[in-house]
Amino acid sequence: MPKTTPAPPPAAVAKDAHWAAKLAKLRSRVRPTNTMTICDDDAARQALETAQQNHLRAQLGGDADTIATTETALAAAQAAFDDAAIVLTFQALRRTDFEDLKTKHPPTEAQAEDGQLLNIETFGPELISASSLDGLTVEDAQSFLTDWSAGEAAQLFHTAWDLQDTTRADLGKG
């Protein structure tokens, strides 16, 4: 059955002649995305950090030639970093899909006694896989969460988790 789009309320149209265009923009919104960048090349990371600091110093008090030189060095360091880095991309789930996923992973009795609302051990890999735009499997995610350092595993989980609570709206000043 084809989806029908209801007509906007006449009062809203009278108040805002651009209601149909506004509604179309609201309906075409894309869920938020975020990335996690991993770079195991310490030299590339350090070179980028040094280039960024040198460029900032030049912008704060250097002449045009010095700024241009640091911009060139920064671009080269960024390119080397980008070549060495791995970028994982995640997208927020539809809210109903996220709620369904949480429901599928209730806490164990011990976790519930500790006040946890989810079984993070089973939920984490599922969330990472479901929100990955790179095609990470549940098995990949579980492996990374198990094998990576605690900080990197936490960052992987939180990159996927934090997207689910992203707000891109402003209530305005009334």
Side-chain angles (χ1 to χ4, degrees), residues 37-168:
T37 303
I38 303 163
C39 184
D40 293 327
D41 185 336
D42 289 333
R45 278 189 291 129
Q46 184 59 46
L48 178 59
E49 185 176 313
T50 299
Q52 289 169 333
Q53 291 171 355
N54 290 342
H55 183 61
L56 180 59
R57 277 191 220 103
Q59 286 180 314
L60 294 174
D63 58 49
D65 289 338
T66 303
I67 292 171
T69 300
T70 61
E71 283 175 352
T72 301
L74 178 57
Q78 184 68 59
F81 177 88
D82 292 346
D83 285 343
I86 302 163
V87 178
L88 299 175
T89 306
F90 299 90
Q91 184 173 47
L93 303 176
R94 290 179 58 244
R95 190 177 55 79
T96 54
D97 294 340
F98 181 58
E99 296 302 326
D100 289 346
L101 186 61
K102 290 191 303 186
T103 301
K104 292 177 185 173
H105 297 278
T108 64
E109 284 185 34
Q111 291 169 335
E113 288 175 10
D114 287 341
Q116 294 181 30
L117 301 175
L118 295 165
N119 183 336
I120 294 298
E121 286 78 24
T122 61
F123 173 77
E126 294 275 348
L127 174 65
I128 291 164
S129 175
S131 61
S132 170
L133 293 180
D134 299 304
L136 290 178
T137 65
V138 173
E139 293 77 18
D140 291 332
Q142 182 62 61
S143 173
F144 300 153
L145 291 170
T146 301
D147 297 340
W148 289 0
S149 71
E152 288 177 338
Q155 185 176 359
L156 176 63
F157 172 77
H158 285 288
T159 301
W161 173 265
D162 291 347
L163 267 173
Q164 311 312 317
D165 197 30
T166 298
T167 302
R168 298 177 296 175

Side-chain angles (χ1 to χ4, degrees), residues 6-23:
V13 173
K15 184 176 178 182
D16 183 351
H18 303 288
W19 176 251
K22 188 183 294 185
L23 190 57

